[in-house]
Amino acid sequence: AVDRAAQLDTTPVTREGRLVLRCEPPDAKVAIDGVPMGACTDYASEDRGLAVGLGTHVLELTRAGYSPYRAEVAPDRAQAVIH
């Protein structure tokens, strides 16, 4: 039998979370902690979410002609879908 405790000790710990972004307009520009990351459409599916480290981050979405969106997000080894 496999020693479950030994198996758990060797399991890697995830040190990031993943954000799935569904924006309107979909081509809004994304920045995390002030760093440009591309367009919202780049992170619109669960398999292409934006990987961010643990802790609190500032998410900013901008596009000409629209009010900017800004929120603090704190992923915790999970995936968050932001609409």
Side-chain angles (χ1 to χ4, degrees):
V2 175
D3 181 358
R4 184 71 177 138
Q7 185 180 21
L8 291 174
D9 285 344
T10 61
T11 303
V13 176
T14 302
R15 301 211 186 281
E16 67 181 30
R18 188 166 299 277
L19 301 176
V20 176
L21 305 174
R22 298 191 179 123
C23 308
E24 188 58 43
D27 62 343
K29 299 299 178 198
V30 178
I32 292 287
D33 299 328
V35 178
M37 302 301 290
C40 194
T41 53
D42 297 334
Y43 310 105
S45 65
E46 293 180 14
D47 61 330
R48 295 185 329 184
L50 176 60
V52 294
L54 295 180
T56 301
H57 300 277
V58 177
L59 169 69
E60 296 174 278
L61 304 173
T62 57
R63 185 169 186 279
Y66 289 82
S67 297
Y69 175 82
R70 180 183 165 112
E72 288 188 357
V73 294
D76 183 17
R77 296 184 298 251
Q79 180 167 291
V81 178
I82 300 173
H83 293 275

